[in-house]
Amino acid sequence: MLGRFGDQNKVTIHLDGKEIEAYDGDSVAAALWGSDVKVFNHSLRFREPRGPACMIGLCNCCDMIVDGIPNVRTCIIPVRNGMKLSVQGKTK
Amino acid sequence: MPELKTEVVVVGGGLIGSSIAYYLSERGIDVVLLEKSGLCLETSGACSGMCFIQSKKPGPTLRLALKGLEEYDILRKELSYPFEYRQTGGMILVENNSELELMESFVRSQKENGLDVKIISVKEAREKCPSLTENLVGTTYSPLDCQIDPLNLNVGLIEGVKKNGGTILLGVSAEKIGVKNGEIKSVETNEGTKIATDFVVNAAGVHAHEVGAMVDVNVPVMPKRGQVIVTEKLPELLPVPMLDVKYIMAKVRPSARKEAASKPEKLDVGLAIEQTVAGTILSGSTRELVGYDTGVTFQAMTAIARIMLRYLPVLENFAMIRAFSGLRPCTPDGYPIIGEASTVRRFVVAAGHEGDGVALAPITGKIVSEIVARGAPPFPIDEFSPKRFDGKQLS
Amino acid sequence: MIGRIYDMTVVGSGPAGLTAAIESSRLGCKRVAVIDENFVTGGQLFKQIHKFFGSKDHYAGIRGFRIGELLLKEVSDLGVETVTNAAIIGMFDAQADIKRLVTAGADRVGEILSKKVLVASGAMENTVSFPGWTLPGVMGVGAAQTMMNIYRVRPGQRVLVLGAGNVGLIVAYQMLQAGIEVVGVVEAMSRIGGYQVHADKIRRMGVPILLSHTVKEAIGKEYVEKVVVVELDENQKEVPRSEKPFDADALCLAVGLTPNTELTRLAGCKHIFNRELGGLVPLHSERMETTIDGIYVAGDVAGIEEASVAIDEGRLAGTSVAEDLGMISSESAAKTSKERWIRLCELRSESFGEPRKRAKISIVEEYWKVKGNQMGSKKRWFTEINTERAPSAKASRNAPSIKSNDNRKGPRAIIECYQEIPCNACETGCNFGAIKVGFPMTNLPDLDLDRCKGCGICVAKCPGLAIFVVDTSYSEKEATVSLPYEMLPVPEVGQEVEVLGKLGGFVCKGKVIRVVHTKDFDETRVVTISVPKECATEARFIRVAKRSGK
Amino acid sequence: MNEGECQVVICRCEEVTEEEIREAIRKGARTFSEIKKITRAGMGICQGKSCQRLVNRILAEMTGRSVEQLGFDTPRPPLRPIKLAVFKGTD
């Protein structure tokens, strides 16, 4: 209903080497979800896929490795041009 | 009044009490354990799992700790409940030359007491733990120190007691201890049950004084608050648990203890840091005489975090997710109180282990079980006898 | 910030926090700060793209995010300091006269000293567990709202919603607005928990609401691909072999909220469990003060209610802070607070509000029990209200419907609002005084046919989209129906559209004859279509085909 | 859901399953705090924000008490994870 907000600057972020286009002001989680990225990490114990579930920084389901630092809540950090992201944890 | 009958009532279900009950039940002795709150809710549920041997004062405590280590070796095979026992070795971090001097003499006297410990270079220390700062003059190292999960051990011991036919009563406290002709007869609980018993073991930790008072035995245990901070789960950064020299000084130097007690406003932090199997790093702790207050303070969080970052700068990239505090049961002379009371027969005290409860729980269990079963400890423990406080009142 | 002592620090910048800050600084408090852990202030307001219920004083008929803009402007005009990106990690010296809040931002910790602290920390979303609930694509309905309404990202292409309370229904509608296919709304209870008008909005667009059903399992390899729904019997047990699979790539959980009481519990305020209010809530007085002097609460943290309640509770707490700081006299505080409480009672009346009203009164009574009934003047006005039992209500209960003897020519409004919702936007919106709600505003609207001109303003004004204008005398065979329309694409005059009924079924073809939109309508267009006369009572929505080439 | 029917995670931070929670209750845990200590549920990075209600429901069901009677864990600072770097400074 609201349509897009005005013109926004595009930025490029990198997910495990893949380039993803995002808009300035977007949270990392929103930008990735909007680009059809669904799996943000694999859980430690059962190695299950996890993705955003609260979008307000409470549940830690959207944790990723951001610029080398693990366990970063991507739903509450904004995208930045050149940001390097990795899916955290191992698959089954 | 509902009645129960047993051979031994153990008051307190922490690591010490559950260990005693376990060793008793292993011998086929009928035991009832009373825990007034619940599983792992008091001191043993609010501590780290470091089981340091080299931190013990050379002499009776070190001897006890070494025997305790042997007991752990048996327990980890015997207890069907895994408690994350691992012998990782341990270090004491030495920051400057005056500390080095102190530690050299400490290590020397420990060696004389038969402990495998040495001082290693910073380079060697960093090989064992690459995240460690270079700004040290060296560290001690002993391969004997280990780590456990105190929560799992506590639950495992209690499960063991149950398996052996013992009775565990959670949420039940001792209200009155019946004595006749200087001999233990019974325990009455808050639920109104009267338990006829031959022995009572006071393993009530920071509440041991209250239980002692029920039979007019002075058990001068005081709560000392230790605050601990916890990080998020991390990859292996700390293969070896560590202490700093302040931790040791507070333990071994009576003057340091007195000084700390005289200046309660000054926050005294002796660093003890370990990484758990789950991946979190536990870092503590303060020693505060604040009664039974288990709150945490921002001042302590900051102080602990700063010391920790000084030794392990890499941690600055990670998050602290929790802080908690536990009450350490401490005694006026720093030795635990273990043994039969002089004025009441078959009233056995096992309390006041302060920060050594984890290391000494199994051996304390074994000692008390022998006192009960054979009337004497397996080896002399006169230094720990409750008799030393007879006639003195807790100040 | 360091070294200053604030008069009042507000934790949380949602409707309750902002109105409290506005009220207290309006009444003379000088150093007022609002702290929020998010990037932006406004709490959940900026996720709310729907129009709010309530009265004019509660910004009824205005979209949530615009209310946020209004409140923030007022806050900045009054010189209230707002601090974002600052999570409160603890409160120390809570019992002292000067309280110490510690905040943590991305790269530093800060300390805020404050005489009074208002905790308006809102609520946390509940969750339920079932196999697959941790799969990507299963998310809180609030998360879905953030994605859509803040970042304009669709949570999924085909979404199932669990929970037919107001939140679930409203967000399902917002998903439809975002062009998402809502495959269904599933509700474990045997009735719709939210307002019927919200349910009607999505049902007329063809979304099925499955009552007495729940989610049994979410299935997918890497993310949700299928959701299995199962029927529940009257004992909430699964009915064997009643599983229904839904193809969906997202499952949104709208299973209620819990007051976010971490800070008040940490501070040591006394709490009590109250099911009606969503769980553990801090005991508080009628003045919104907790059992610790100088700590106040307002909004969802004090019990899960509505934005209109949060707004009034915020004002109430703001007044109390001003009183306790000596900015206003106890008499004048008591006077305005009493009026506010009466209005809160009005918002909490009738079937939806009554249980919450009783719960709130019990919280206040429990507070006084803990405080040892040292009632004094502060409690007096509250006792007066209770004896007055205001508002006693049940004044007008005329079911709005077309009366059979209604032979009037020309367009007239039809109000399909059958529940006691605390809202009077239609009454205040009508320029001809044709709609009467009165006091309390939970009364059902009463239409005065003689005054109704069929102008259609109420169609755009009703936040529940529950008013239509029908003209059965449009032509010999045709009637017109004017309906509210908030979707894309916007139909053009002359365009042929599919007309849908109250439950979303195809009714007939219709032709758009007028599309009215003013700034005041704020994106709710009033679309008038012509339909065969016999279809006028059923025609409630239109499906506008996307035109090619655009 | 019937007991032991399927492995459902209750605490998603620490990945504690429903069966493990039930096992802790069978061992004598009667409060969320005890279940937390025994199973690690609620000990993870979100500090029980999402699982406390779920655990309490299981507790209520198994012990026959109402959720009202169960009590809640006392929150401790920090209420949110904080980067340790913020503490850097001189002692």
Side-chain angles (χ1 to χ4, degrees):
Chain A
M1 188 201 82
L2 294 168
R4 279 208 88 92
F5 296 156
D7 283 328
Q8 285 175 302
N9 290 330
K10 281 189 180 172
V11 298
T12 305
I13 56 178
H14 307 265
L15 172 64
D16 291 317
K18 202 175 86 190
E19 281 190 7
I20 288 173
E21 219 164 61
Y23 289 91
D24 229 358
D26 278 359
S27 73
V28 172
L32 293 178
W33 196 263
S35 303
D36 268 341
V37 176
K38 307 245 181 179
V39 180
F40 284 52
N41 64 69
H42 291 96
S43 66
L44 276 170
R45 184 176 171 198
F46 298 130
R47 308 219 181 279
E48 291 170 346
R50 294 281 172 88
C54 82
M55 291 296 282
I56 47 172
L58 291 182
C59 74
N60 287 82
C61 289
C62 65
D63 283 5
M64 276 192 153
I65 302 170
V66 178
D67 293 327
I69 296 176
N71 301 342
V72 177
R73 291 170 287 164
T74 56
C75 68
I76 53 162
I77 59 161
V79 291
R80 212 184 51 251
N81 204 25
M83 199 173 225
K84 294 216 167 16
L85 308 163
S86 297
V87 173
Q88 187 175 314
K90 294 185 195 91
T91 47
K92 260 179 221 172
Chain B
M1 186 178 277
E3 290 197 10
L4 266 173
K5 199 175 168 343
T6 187
E7 289 172 89
V8 185
V9 171
V10 178
V11 183
L15 277 180
I16 303 294
S18 62
S19 176
I20 292 166
Y22 174 76
Y23 276 89
L24 287 167
S25 66
E26 279 285 292
R27 288 173 177 268
I29 295 170
D30 199 13
V31 59
V32 174
L33 183 146
L34 308 181
E35 165 51 51
K36 77 170 186 167
S37 45
L39 293 169
C40 309
L41 288 181
E42 305 291 333
T43 301
S44 301
C47 58
S48 66
M50 278 171 272
C51 189
F52 260 89
I53 309 302
Q54 60 161 318
S55 67
K56 308 295 176 267
K57 197 174 173 178
T61 327
L62 181 59
R63 278 201 295 279
L64 200 60
L66 282 166
K67 295 237 194 276
L69 198 58
E70 290 164 26
E71 224 43 61
Y72 260 114
D73 211 36
I74 299 167
L75 205 54
R76 78 189 166 100
K77 289 167 199 149
E78 235 178 58
L79 204 61
S80 55
Y81 201 88
F83 55 90
E84 298 176 2
Y85 172 92
R86 57 230 189 265
Q87 198 159 35
T88 49
M91 292 182 190
I92 298 167
L93 310 177
V94 186
E95 259 193 312
N96 54 48
N97 286 329
S98 71
E99 282 185 359
L100 187 64
E101 217 170 286
L102 184 97
M103 288 315 293
E104 275 168 344
S105 83
F106 190 62
V107 164
R108 205 176 307 124
S109 82
Q110 279 179 325
K111 275 186 176 160
E112 284 160 14
N113 277 264
L115 182 71
D116 180 359
V117 62
K118 61 182 174 188
I119 290 187
I120 60 174
S121 69
V122 182
K123 189 166 164 281
E124 284 171 287
R126 280 167 54 85
E127 273 160 21
K128 293 188 192 297
C129 176
S131 340
L132 199 59
T133 178
E134 288 174 318
N135 300 326
L136 296 170
V137 294
T139 77
T140 70
Y141 179 75
S142 166
L144 297 178
D145 303 326
C146 29
Q147 286 175 272
I148 63 145
D149 175 3
L151 306 169
N152 277 334
L153 177 60
N154 200 171
V155 176
L157 289 167
I158 283 184
E159 287 298 300
V161 174
K162 286 194 224 166
K163 212 166 106 189
N164 292 338
T167 305
I168 305 286
L169 300 176
L170 298 174
V172 178
S173 61
E175 294 293 301
K176 218 171 128 188
I177 299 172
V179 178
K180 209 171 164 189
N181 301 329
E183 238 177 66
I184 289 290
K185 287 290 168 202
S186 63
V187 174
E188 282 173 38
T189 72
N190 63 327
E191 293 185 331
T193 307
K194 189 169 184 178
I195 309 170
T197 183
D198 301 329
F199 282 85
V200 169
V201 179
N202 176 4
V206 293
H207 299 288
H209 182 245
E210 298 154 40
V211 175
M214 291 176 194
V215 289
D216 287 326
V217 172
N218 182 29
V219 185
V221 176
M222 290 226 303
K224 198 186 266 186
R225 182 169 72 180
Q227 299 190 45
V228 177
I229 65 173
V230 186
T231 70
E232 61 190 309
K233 287 182 179 185
L234 299 170
E236 191 183 72
L237 287 172
L238 270 182
V240 181
M242 298 166 185
L243 306 174
D244 70 358
V245 178
K246 277 199 196 68
Y247 181 98
I248 299 299
M249 285 208 296
K251 255 193 159 151
V252 300
R253 279 186 156 179
S255 62
R257 297 178 74 87
K258 272 194 201 116
E259 200 184 314
S262 68
K263 285 192 219 151
E265 73 285 353
K266 197 180 162 286
L267 197 64
D268 175 30
V269 180
L271 190 79
I273 181 167
E274 69 161 347
Q275 186 162 21
T276 64
V277 169
T280 55
I281 290 178
L282 264 57
S283 180
S285 87
T286 57
R287 307 150 201 276
E288 304 161 88
L289 294 166
V290 289
Y292 291 90
D293 178 1
T294 52
V296 299
T297 65
F298 184 59
Q299 189 198 7
M301 268 158 50
T302 310
I304 297 168
R306 281 181 180 168
I307 297 172
M308 177 169 92
L309 290 178
R310 204 166 77 212
Y311 293 123
L312 299 153
V314 62
L315 291 181
E316 71 171 56
N317 294 318
F318 304 110
M320 159 184 177
I321 62 164
R322 178 171 69 237
F324 65 83
S325 79
L327 302 173
R328 315 279 165 248
C330 69
T331 60
D333 57 9
Y335 287 123
I337 309 171
I338 308 170
E340 192 175 2
S342 60
T343 49
V344 184
R345 285 196 49 212
R346 296 181 185 153
F347 182 73
V348 183
V349 181
H353 292 67
E354 196 168 345
D356 299 334
V358 170
L360 302 182
I363 189 65
T364 304
K366 183 173 181 174
I367 292 170
V368 173
S369 74
E370 298 232 339
I371 292 174
V372 169
R374 304 183 358 190
F379 47 87
I381 50 159
D382 296 342
E383 296 89 342
F384 306 125
S385 165
K387 294 185 181 93
R388 70 189 194 272
F389 299 113
D390 284 356
K392 295 176 194 162
Q393 273 314 301
L394 179 62
S395 55
Chain C
M1 197 192 294
I2 289 172
R4 292 181 69 181
I5 295 174
Y6 285 85
D7 279 350
M8 179 200 201
T9 302
V10 178
V11 180
S13 67
L18 291 178
T19 50
I22 290 167
E23 193 70 12
S24 63
S25 56
R26 236 175 27 86
L27 295 173
C29 299
K30 292 284 174 298
R31 293 167 299 265
V32 178
V34 179
I35 315 292
D36 203 290
E37 62 178 314
N38 297 291
F39 292 116
V40 288
T41 44
Q44 306 304 303
L45 282 172
F46 287 96
K47 292 183 196 174
Q48 313 306 331
I49 59 168
H50 61 284
K51 292 178 178 174
F52 277 32
F53 288 128
S55 71
K56 219 171 181 152
D57 244 359
H58 305 110
Y59 307 94
I62 302 182
R63 298 190 188 278
F65 69 98
R66 297 213 199 281
I67 299 175
E69 286 163 4
L70 289 169
L71 294 177
L72 285 181
K73 179 164 187 308
E74 229 178 311
V75 157
S76 92
D77 288 350
L78 284 161
V80 171
E81 211 176 302
T82 51
V83 184
T84 51
N85 265 328
I88 303 285
I89 59 158
M91 190 186 323
F92 302 90
D93 305 334
Q95 306 273 354
D97 288 343
I98 307 286
K99 298 164 201 319
R100 214 149 54 91
L101 288 164
V102 176
T103 63
D107 50 8
R108 64 188 198 105
V109 279
E111 232 179 0
I112 299 171
L113 300 176
S114 190
K115 292 179 191 161
K116 307 288 173 197
V117 173
L118 175 96
V119 181
S121 47
M124 296 189 294
E125 286 196 89
N126 293 341
T127 188
V128 283
S129 54
F130 47 81
W133 76 284
T134 54
L135 269 178
V138 180
M139 61 180 83
V141 80
Q145 240 186 342
T146 306
M147 284 188 181
M148 294 188 295
N149 301 344
I150 306 276
Y151 299 114
R152 300 159 316 282
V153 166
R154 292 190 181 112
Q157 302 306 314
R158 295 168 53 82
V159 180
L160 188 78
V161 175
L162 175 62
N166 277 331
V167 177
L169 297 171
I170 289 170
V171 180
Y173 179 72
Q174 293 174 355
M175 287 177 186
L176 295 166
Q177 288 181 303
I180 295 165
E181 187 185 344
V182 179
V183 296
V185 175
V186 173
E187 169 59 57
M189 289 195 303
S190 57
R191 59 181 184 83
I192 292 170
Y195 296 149
Q196 193 196 325
V197 292
H198 286 316
D200 288 346
K201 285 197 295 193
I202 62 169
R203 280 200 287 215
R204 68 173 81 113
M205 292 181 72
V207 175
I209 299 178
L210 284 85
L211 299 175
S212 297
H213 278 75
T214 193
V215 169
K216 186 185 171 83
E217 191 176 5
I219 302 168
K221 194 165 170 288
E222 296 248 277
Y223 55 89
V224 178
E225 292 165 47
K226 188 186 277 182
V227 179
V228 180
V229 165
V230 66
E231 196 177 336
L232 299 172
D233 64 17
E234 57 273 26
N235 301 316
Q236 294 280 296
K237 291 266 176 293
E238 291 176 10
V239 174
R241 290 176 302 281
S242 64
E243 287 85 357
K244 299 175 187 66
F246 280 84
D247 281 327
D249 58 358
L251 168 60
C252 293
L253 308 177
V255 289
L257 299 164
T258 296
N260 182 9
T261 55
E262 287 174 306
L263 191 56
T264 46
R265 280 191 285 150
L266 180 130
C269 305
K270 290 228 156 44
H271 289 69
I272 197 167
F273 191 94
N274 189 301
R275 218 172 268 273
E276 214 54 65
L277 296 172
L280 209 59
V281 288
L283 293 183
H284 58 78
S285 70
E286 67 286 355
R287 305 167 62 251
M288 305 311 294
E289 191 168 15
T290 65
T291 52
I292 297 180
D293 293 350
I295 301 180
Y296 308 77
V297 284
D300 275 354
V301 67
I304 304 300
E305 298 194 72
E306 298 179 347
S308 50
V309 168
I311 286 169
D312 267 348
E313 280 196 345
R315 289 170 176 151
L316 191 57
T319 305
S320 304
V321 169
E323 179 193 354
D324 293 346
L325 287 169
M327 302 295 167
I328 52 168
S329 70
S330 290
E331 293 72 40
S332 93
K335 192 170 166 286
T336 47
S337 298
K338 184 176 171 182
E339 279 163 21
R340 293 252 161 74
W341 191 274
I342 291 174
R343 198 167 58 189
L344 279 166
C345 288
E346 188 187 353
L347 289 170
R348 292 169 181 146
S349 44
E350 294 300 339
S351 51
F352 285 101
E354 196 61 36
R356 276 182 285 126
K357 180 163 85 189
R358 278 199 298 271
K360 272 287 188 177
I361 289 171
S362 79
I363 297 292
V364 173
E365 279 165 357
E366 198 60 37
Y367 166 90
W368 285 108
K369 251 185 242 164
V370 170
K371 280 290 190 182
N373 273 328
Q374 24 170 291
M375 291 186 200
S377 63
K378 285 175 181 170
K379 176 91 187 276
R380 205 178 314 129
W381 62 260
F382 182 67
T383 327
E384 283 163 18
I385 292 175
N386 273 334
T387 47
E388 287 165 18
R389 305 291 321 164
S392 54
K394 309 233 182 223
S396 75
R397 275 183 156 275
N398 305 342
S401 58
I402 306 179
K403 287 161 192 142
S404 54
N405 59 355
D406 173 17
N407 297 320
R408 209 191 81 161
K409 295 254 187 297
R412 46 144 298 160
I414 291 179
I415 305 176
E416 297 183 339
C417 172
Y418 306 110
Q419 291 173 321
E420 293 103 344
I421 296 168
C423 180
N424 61 11
C426 51
E427 180 180 34
T428 49
C430 180
N431 293 333
F432 305 99
I435 305 177
K436 173 122 181 63
V437 175
F439 178 88
M441 62 181 121
T442 41
N443 289 340
L444 298 184
D446 200 12
L447 180 71
D448 183 343
L449 274 179
D450 295 332
R451 293 189 179 194
C452 177
K453 306 282 183 254
C455 68
I457 287 179
C458 56
V459 174
K461 289 280 172 180
C462 173
L465 307 189
I467 307 183
F468 303 85
V469 168
V470 173
D471 182 357
T472 48
S473 59
Y474 176 66
S475 72
E476 199 185 319
K477 287 197 171 146
E478 285 181 312
T480 63
V481 177
S482 304
L483 44 86
Y485 190 80
E486 298 184 325
M487 300 289 155
L488 289 172
V490 176
E492 282 175 8
V493 174
Q495 193 177 344
E496 192 171 89
V497 291
E498 279 181 24
V499 178
L500 306 183
K502 290 172 183 167
L503 292 174
F506 177 79
V507 174
C508 59
K509 294 266 186 197
K511 197 168 152 193
V512 176
I513 56 173
R514 198 163 54 240
V515 178
V516 179
H517 182 240
T518 69
K519 186 165 177 278
D520 204 29
F521 287 3
D522 195 10
E523 303 295 326
T524 309
R525 288 172 168 76
V526 178
V527 177
T528 305
I529 51 169
S530 61
V531 294
K533 239 175 210 173
E534 64 276 16
C535 298
T537 47
E538 184 57 21
R540 289 298 174 263
F541 193 71
I542 53 169
R543 189 178 289 145
V544 182
K546 283 196 179 79
R547 273 152 300 159
S548 53
K550 223 182 166 184
Chain D
M1 167 128 3
N2 299 322
E3 223 176 279
E5 202 172 273
C6 182
Q7 178 176 292
V8 182
V9 169
I10 296 291
C11 164
R12 50 183 170 191
C13 303
E14 293 292 320
E15 297 179 82
V16 182
T17 66
E18 180 165 344
E19 186 44 38
E20 287 166 322
I21 307 267
R22 290 181 183 276
E23 184 54 37
I25 298 169
R26 285 193 282 266
K27 289 201 174 89
R30 287 296 174 270
T31 57
F32 178 71
S33 305
E34 287 165 277
I35 291 176
K36 176 168 139 183
K37 300 279 168 85
I38 297 173
T39 64
R40 293 192 65 84
M43 225 188 242
I45 198 152
C46 95
Q47 291 290 294
K49 284 180 183 67
S50 40
C51 69
Q52 185 160 1
R53 273 186 78 260
L54 300 174
V55 169
N56 272 356
R57 256 166 63 176
I58 301 172
L59 249 179
E61 177 217 303
M62 283 183 71
T63 62
R65 291 175 300 168
S66 69
V67 178
E68 281 90 336
Q69 297 167 299
L70 294 177
F72 283 73
D73 205 26
T74 314
R76 293 259 181 251
L79 294 178
R80 297 284 180 276
I82 22 173
K83 223 173 161 194
L84 282 160
V86 303
F87 290 109
K88 272 198 295 187
T90 49
D91 304 57

